[in-house]
Amino acid sequence: IMKNHKISLFNRNNGIINGVRDVISFDLNEIILDTEQGILVIHGEDLHVTKLTVEKGEVELEGIVDSLIYSDNGSGKEERGGIMRRLFR
């Protein structure tokens, strides 16, 4: 059963994302999240994860968001291994 996943983005500067299973990586230009709806790649400038609540599966972020891209709609570790292989080629 797939759980809920929600993105709230305010003026492309502050956001709250629910339904996050794992933070795969983050830096100033990119945040990669494993969500209930697949891998979510957030591109932007001066991006920061300001709060991570593992129990709730919630991430708060700030910075200038340029794009939100879902790379797949799978669930589980098999897909995560696939994206990790692509990232580290």
Side-chain angles (χ1 to χ4, degrees):
I1 297 175
M2 197 169 289
K3 296 181 182 177
N4 289 331
H5 170 59
K6 177 179 163 185
I7 298 174
S8 299
L9 187 60
F10 308 100
N11 297 322
R12 292 180 57 189
N13 292 320
N14 295 303
I16 300 173
I17 303 172
N18 295 311
V20 176
R21 293 189 277 190
D22 191 17
V23 177
I24 296 173
S25 71
F26 63 94
D27 61 35
L28 292 176
N29 299 308
E30 182 179 75
I31 300 173
I32 302 175
L33 305 172
D34 182 7
T35 75
E36 295 294 337
Q37 299 292 318
I39 302 297
L40 174 60
V41 180
I42 302 165
H43 288 135
E45 298 175 26
D46 200 27
L47 296 174
H48 298 278
V49 175
T50 57
K51 185 175 180 183
L52 170 63
T53 308
V54 177
E55 306 84 39
K56 291 182 178 180
E58 184 175 280
V59 170
E60 293 183 22
L61 61 94
E62 64 181 29
I64 300 170
V65 175
D66 292 330
S67 67
L68 302 165
I69 302 168
Y70 288 91
S71 64
D72 64 30
N73 61 358
S75 61
K77 296 184 181 189
E78 297 82 20
E79 286 82 5
R80 194 175 350 175
I83 185 107
M84 294 307 283
R85 274 187 302 232
R86 284 180 276 173
L87 287 173
F88 295 108
R89 280 187 191 174

